[in-house]
Amino acid sequence: MWLINSSIGRKVVMSVTGLALILFLTFHCCMNIVALFSGEAYNMICELLGANWYAVVATLGLAALAVIHIVYAFILTAQNRSARGNSRYDVATTVNAGKVEWASKNMLVLGIIICIGLLIHLWNFWYNMMFAEIIGAMPALSPTDGFGWIKETFSNPVFVVLYIIWLVALWFHLSHGFWSAMQTFGWSGKIWLKRWMCIGNIYVTLLFLAFLVVVLAFAFGCAPSLCDGACCGSSC
């Protein structure tokens, strides 16, 4: 099958799974924004997306997408290194300079950082919430108290720093991955490549800032949901 056996087929799989994961991050970002303004509303969403069968199926599907994306990334990286030395991805133009070019050359390193961050995130949230609910465990907080877990996690400065590093790596990874996917699909030319890069940078930056605001708001106790709509910390 060409999607598995050919280089372009593997890139298509990488692109499709990558865009699907970006869509999930968008959904996750919207959930996090809810937590900024209402802990009760956020916990309602967490309860809806708890250990229900549809949430479990969706989680398994998401995990499959992530595994496929990661496996294919390593395969493509190995192939590119073997064929073209230290180059990571086929790039048809040199217009991507600066930070995007750096991301293109360091996608494997960024991917490893992202995987480590993902494991930390799964430990802090999925393990203590959905998994705990499935096995009937009783962690320190209720498995459906997502708001409580956010407060607990980002009250620790170490996790705050680790999450910021993770988000920065995600920004670099996605800023390259978005337009690279469009290039793989053949939806870019001399003009549209620059446009896709611009669109991707704007979209990914908005995602990055939204996630970052949540982390910092809870780290400094400035989330409106913590203070009934008012800022209760002198640091705000």
Side-chain angles (χ1 to χ4, degrees), residues 7 11 80 84 87-92 104 176 179-180 183:
S7 177
K11 290 180 180 179
N80 287 333
R84 299 188 290 110
S87 297
R88 303 294 198 268
Y89 290 87
D90 289 329
V91 180
S104 176
H176 169 78
W179 66 260
S180 181
Q183 189 178 59

Side-chain angles (χ1 to χ4, degrees), residues 3 27 43 51 57-58 62 64 105 118 128-129 149 155 160 188 220:
L3 285 174
F27 168 75
N43 281 346
V57 170
L62 181 64
K105 292 179 178 179
L118 179 60
N128 288 310
M129 295 176 68
W149 286 111
S155 65
V160 172
S188 64
F220 291 101

Side-chain angles (χ1 to χ4, degrees), residues 59-98:
T59 299
L60 292 175
L62 181 64
L65 285 174
V67 169
I68 292 171
H69 189 79
I70 293 170
V71 169
Y72 272 61
F74 276 99
I75 292 175
L76 283 171
T77 299
Q79 288 181 334
N80 287 333
R81 281 184 168 178
S82 176
R84 299 188 290 110
N86 291 327
S87 297
R88 303 294 198 268
Y89 290 87
D90 289 329
V91 180
T93 178
T94 58
V95 70
N96 52 314

